[in-house]
Amino acid sequence: IKLAKANRIKDTDAGYVAEMARDYMEKTYGEEVYRAGYRVYTTIDSKLQTAANQAVRRRLLQFDQGKLYRGVRGHVTLPAAAPSDVLERQYRRLLFPYPNAPSLVLGLVLEVKEDKTRVWTRDYGTITIPFSGLSWARRKNQADIVRASDVLKAGDVIDMQPGKSGISNWRLAQVPEAQAALVSLDSRDGAIRALVGGYSFATSSYNRAIQGRGRQVGSAFKPFIYAAALDKGLTPATVMLDAPFTQGTWSPENANGKYSGPMSMREALVWSKNMVSIRVLKRIGIDYSVNFISQFGFEKKRLGRDLSLALGSYEFTPLEVARGYAAFANLGYLVNPYYITHITLGDKKLYQAAPVAATEDKKALNDGEKPAPRVISTANAWLMNSMMHDVTTRGTGARTNSLARTDLAGKTGTTNDVKDAWFAGYNPKLVTITWLGYDNPRTLGANESGSSLAVPMWIDYMGKALSGKKMAFWEKPTGLTTAKVNKNTGDMAGAFTEDDDTQYEVFISKHLPT
């Protein structure tokens, strides 16, 4: 009997979404779903999902490169000398218990010399890792590495990465210890286009995109405070004090420990000034803010009743954050994220999604859609997009300029001791949230931030997601007025105000300064 390897049809690697669908199906239809032939159709775009997988894994591997080496995958006894075809079969047998890690190549160390190591791989045969590809791999409490044998020995099972240009310049690697998540959804109706819950579903099925409630959102939460302030009558030109703040035993600080004195709310958001956010929240009131922010889909009972709310000290998942940011992207509507479009059994359709869409024009609705509820005014959303556009062009999210697009907006987030790194970024049509951190929270590094960790992951993904797409802009709505103000006070510029002290700002018309 000849055995032929089965061809497994697989459009894309979407293990976390597949598990979400499996869990839903079993809870809804029972265990017969494994036998009866149900078909589940999702909103996932295979190209975007592939781009999301690559972005998450690439960022985690890059982040891990500067860490200590945690050791080889395993160790085996090499077979005695034999013909090459026999040895290859034996090598395959020895590596069989070790699954491939995504984006890495599994290898069996055959020989270790002073300046290089010979390694056998399933797909590339025997390759060589130069000493330069090993010299980084110092273990905890280990002295400096001066030869290859300080790192590896024959019989070790290892992970590797090829160099950027072709299959050469191999480098010893390891499965990242940190984790990440990415959620990307359509701002119009909440359809999830890509979702990644970690480095590899095969090694960890814990879905950090939807289950990671234990993670603070940090400064990525500030836009919701600012939107509440705009609704209460403050403006992008309102001047607030960026200076040390103390309440009882609580003495928060800005991320860099520096303060800028009086500054406009626009500038404070652009540079993520913690002290300004606290003073904004204190000025408009905590109860008012909680009631307003809950309209973005955040459970009111999970929003704290203290000033640390201004710093994003409360915990929400990347998917919940994406839903909130979609209301900015679609100019004010709350959509419901969904990933299943319909379910069939044979010729019978058992389920059809009925999403809410960001429009009040019933003629613009697709079959089965309903208008989404409006949670903030179009003018408020437009102003927030204007301020967060500045974040991406000249503020903490300015790395996004590498995409050479003028239709982006977003906000970085970094939590206490840099335990979580976030970026919530979007254009009018697509909202994408990226997060990076350790499952058992600990610092990612004193010099790290949402800007250095989460933004590059977002850029990697959105660069592909928006490739070839035309720029999409937020049309300026009625109810907004442009006026010249005194940038030192936030008031209307007077006849004797020096030109150097003036600037133009956009206001909700009923909130024009005096």
Side-chain angles (χ1 to χ4, degrees):
I1 298 175
K2 291 185 177 181
L3 300 180
K5 185 177 180 180
N7 291 320
R8 184 180 178 188
I9 299 173
K10 187 177 183 182
D11 289 335
T12 189
D13 181 0
Y16 291 100
V17 179
E19 171 58 18
M20 290 163 62
R22 184 210 62 78
D23 183 61
Y24 171 83
M25 291 297 291
E26 183 179 291
K27 289 178 178 176
T28 305
Y29 300 103
E31 292 194 2
E32 70 170 85
V33 296
Y34 301 112
R35 300 182 297 272
Y38 288 82
R39 289 179 178 267
V40 183
Y41 297 82
T42 76
T43 59
I44 298 297
D45 182 312
S46 60
K47 291 183 179 179
L48 298 191
Q49 182 65 37
T50 298
N53 291 335
Q54 292 172 345
V56 166
R57 291 165 184 167
R58 193 153 32 225
R59 183 86 285 265
L60 286 173
L61 287 167
Q62 289 170 348
F63 174 68
D64 200 74
Q65 284 180 6
K67 311 304 176 188
L68 293 170
Y69 187 49
R70 294 182 292 277
V72 299
R73 290 273 292 275
H75 185 81
V76 299
T77 301
L78 293 177
S84 59
D85 59 331
V86 175
L87 282 176
E88 183 169 314
R89 287 197 297 271
Q90 292 176 327
Y91 294 158
R92 288 185 183 278
R93 192 176 299 117
L94 290 171
L95 288 184
F96 182 79
Y98 300 93
N100 282 322
S103 301
L104 297 177
V105 176
L106 191 70
L108 175 61
V109 177
L110 302 180
E111 182 184 24
V112 179
K113 294 186 177 181
E114 187 168 320
D115 60 345
K116 60 185 177 182
T117 299
R118 287 178 59 246
V119 184
W120 183 87
T121 68
R122 289 167 176 153
D123 296 325
Y124 304 103
T126 301
I127 58 93
T128 298
I129 304 178
F131 178 72
S132 60
L134 300 167
S135 57
W136 68 271
R138 189 175 66 85
R139 303 191 193 198
K140 190 174 182 179
N141 301 322
Q142 183 182 12
D144 290 340
I145 295 168
V146 297
R147 60 183 68 83
S149 58
D150 292 337
V151 181
L152 300 173
K153 58 181 178 292
D156 283 344
V157 179
I158 61 173
D159 289 302
M160 302 171 294
Q161 281 182 292
K164 292 182 179 180
S165 56
I167 308 300
S168 60
N169 300 319
W170 287 87
R171 182 181 185 278
L172 180 67
Q174 59 188 346
V175 175
E177 191 175 17
Q179 286 289 351
L182 184 153
V183 176
S184 187
L185 57 80
D186 188 322
S187 67
R188 179 187 177 276
D189 65 355
I192 297 173
R193 300 305 183 195
L195 185 148
V196 181
Y199 177 76
S200 167
F201 179 79
T203 56
S204 173
S205 61
Y206 178 60
N207 191 338
R208 297 151 191 87
I210 65 171
Q211 295 173 312
R213 280 196 175 187
R215 313 312 298 231
Q216 294 179 341
V217 181
S219 296
F221 196 75
K222 289 176 182 174
F224 302 108
I225 302 290
Y226 277 62
L230 295 182
D231 187 71
K232 193 73 180 285
L234 276 64
T235 76
T238 299
V239 173
M240 304 294 291
L241 182 61
D242 179 37
F245 177 94
T246 299
Q247 181 171 284
T249 59
W250 187 51
S251 298
E253 298 180 343
N254 284 333
N256 60 5
K258 299 179 180 178
Y259 303 93
S260 303
M263 63 192 312
S264 70
M265 280 177 49
R266 179 182 288 273
E267 291 304 301
L269 187 64
V270 166
W271 299 108
S272 198
K273 296 293 188 176
N274 289 341
M275 302 305 103
V276 171
S277 295
I278 292 170
R279 288 185 167 93
V280 168
L281 177 58
K282 187 175 182 180
R283 181 166 170 177
I284 65 178
I286 292 175
D287 289 340
Y288 175 84
S289 298
V290 167
N291 289 331
F292 183 87
I293 293 168
S294 65
Q295 298 179 100
F296 288 86
F298 299 108
E299 285 185 77
K300 190 179 292 188
K301 64 182 180 182
R302 290 165 55 203
L303 292 166
R305 300 306 200 273
D306 58 71
L307 292 177
S308 71
L309 180 68
L311 307 183
S313 64
Y314 293 88
E315 300 158 353
F316 295 97
T317 67
L319 183 58
E320 289 172 315
V321 175
R323 185 190 190 195
Y325 269 82
F328 294 130
N330 64 33
L331 292 178
Y333 298 92
L334 182 65
V335 295
N336 299 320
Y338 71 104
Y339 62 95
I340 295 177
T341 60
H342 61 284
I343 300 168
T344 64
L345 180 59
D347 296 331
K348 184 179 180 181
K349 182 178 285 189
L350 302 179
Y351 169 82
Q352 175 65 52
V356 294
T359 180
E360 294 167 11
D361 181 3
K362 292 185 178 180
K363 293 181 180 179
L365 295 172
N366 298 323
D367 290 343
E369 289 183 339
K370 297 179 181 179
R374 177 172 285 284
V375 293
I376 57 171
S377 69
T378 307
N380 188 322
W382 190 94
L383 273 182
M384 289 304 305
N385 294 337
S386 171
M387 288 193 282
M388 284 193 276
H389 174 66
D390 281 359
V391 172
T392 61
T393 56
R394 59 187 180 85
T396 58
R399 292 171 189 256
T400 61
N401 285 322
S402 63
L403 295 180
R405 295 188 68 97
T406 56
D407 60 345
L408 303 178
K411 183 68 187 74
T412 54
T414 309
T415 62
N416 287 340
D417 300 322
V418 200
K419 292 178 181 177
D420 301 271
W422 294 78
F423 186 60
Y426 57 97
N427 82 340
K429 296 183 178 180
L430 194 65
V431 177
T432 300
I433 311 298
T434 53
W435 166 87
L436 193 148
Y438 290 103
D439 282 342
N440 294 316
R442 69 176 193 265
T443 184
L444 292 162
N447 297 320
E448 300 291 4
S449 64
S451 177
S452 66
L453 295 175
V455 172
M457 191 193 319
W458 188 91
I459 292 170
D460 192 345
Y461 167 77
M462 287 292 273
K464 296 181 178 68
L466 299 179
S467 178
K469 300 287 195 304
K470 293 182 179 179
M471 300 285 184
F473 300 98
W474 293 282
E475 185 176 345
K476 191 175 181 180
T478 57
L480 292 174
T481 302
T482 301
K484 184 186 286 188
V485 297
N486 183 325
K487 62 185 180 182
N488 298 315
T489 65
D491 297 329
M492 285 289 200
F496 300 103
T497 306
E498 295 289 341
D499 286 343
D500 289 345
D501 291 332
T502 65
Q503 66 183 21
Y504 285 94
E505 184 55 272
V506 184
F507 302 90
I508 296 174
S509 298
K510 63 181 179 180
H511 296 156
L512 271 172
T514 57

